[in-house]
Amino acid sequence: AAAEVPIMQVDELGKTFASLDALKDLMPKAMDSWQPPMFVVLGGESTGKSTLLERITMFPLFPRAEDLCTRLPIKIQLRRSPVASPPTLQVVNVATQKAEGAARTIPLVNGEVDVRNAMDELVRKEHSDGKGISSTRMLVLSLSSPDVPAVLDAPGKRLLDPLWCADTECG
C-alpha cells in the first residue's frame, strides 16, 4: 500500500518506512551482502552542502558558517529504530577505517556545536596553526529514529581537488 501513495515531502518518508516494519525479521536473510545506498555532497565553500544534508536528514547537527566550516568529512549513519536515541559522534581514521576512542553522545539540540568542536580539535592536532582541513580523520555521526529517511559531508570541492576529484571540472 505504501508504494501506491506518492511521497510529496521528505518528512512523509517516515510513514513509508513504518510500513516496512513487518519485514524487519526477513531483511537480514534477504539482504545478506547488501550495503545501504550512500551519496556524497560536493560543492564550493558556503554553497549550502551542510544545509542540504540537514534538510535531508531532518536533524540540525551540521555546522554552518559563511566561511570555511566543514573541515573534514562527516559521515552520517541513519538507522531506523522503533525508538529514537540520542546522536553519537565518533572519530575514525580515514586510512584504516578504524574508530579512534569511544563514540560519545551529543545533544540533538545544539549538537552542531559539539560537531564543530570535535572538528576543530582534530584539525588542531593535524595542523599546529589550527587552520586547513584534516585528510586523516573523519567524524561519524550516528542517528537512530523511527522516522529517518549513508551521507558524507565534506569540505568544499576546491579544498578536496588534489584528494578526491577526478573529473575535468575539478582539475
Side-chain angles (χ1 to χ4, degrees):
E4 298 171 13
V5 179
I7 296 173
M8 303 302 287
Q9 296 181 356
V10 173
D11 61 344
E12 294 175 4
L13 287 171
K15 296 173 192 170
T16 301
F17 296 136
S19 71
L20 299 175
D21 281 346
L23 302 175
K24 73 179 179 181
D25 294 334
L26 298 173
M27 295 298 255
K29 294 175 192 169
M31 311 195 93
D32 183 30
S33 63
W34 179 80
Q35 292 292 317
M38 183 181 290
F39 65 92
V40 178
V41 177
L42 293 174
E45 290 177 34
S46 300
T47 57
K49 298 176 300 294
S50 296
T51 301
L52 172 66
L53 292 173
E54 184 174 283
R55 297 291 195 294
I56 291 170
T57 63
M58 298 180 284
F59 293 101
L61 296 171
F62 300 90
R64 291 179 308 266
E66 291 188 21
D67 56 355
L68 178 61
C69 186
T70 304
R71 301 177 64 191
L72 56 109
I74 303 173
K75 180 178 183 179
I76 312 306
Q77 295 179 328
L78 298 176
R79 300 292 182 256
R80 181 157 168 71
S81 64
V83 177
S85 59
T88 61
L89 190 62
Q90 175 76 59
V91 176
V92 173
N93 181 300
V94 172
T96 65
Q97 293 297 302
K98 302 275 186 205
E100 295 183 355
R104 66 178 202 221
T105 300
I106 63 170
L108 189 54
V109 176
N110 293 326
E112 74 275 3
V113 173
D114 289 81
V115 172
R116 181 189 304 266
N117 289 343
M119 193 178 318
D120 289 345
E121 179 182 331
L122 290 168
V123 169
R124 275 193 301 278
K125 285 181 181 178
E126 194 167 322
H127 304 283
S128 60
D129 62 1
K131 296 181 180 180
I133 63 171
S134 174
S135 59
T136 62
R137 305 292 183 275
M138 74 174 165
L139 295 176
V140 176
L141 187 57
S142 298
L143 305 157
S144 296
S145 170
D147 300 316
V148 298
V151 184
L152 175 68
D153 188 12
K157 181 178 79 173
R158 179 174 61 90
L159 295 173
L160 290 175
D161 287 350
L163 298 174
W164 300 17
C165 276
D167 66 30
T168 55
E169 180 182 321
C170 293

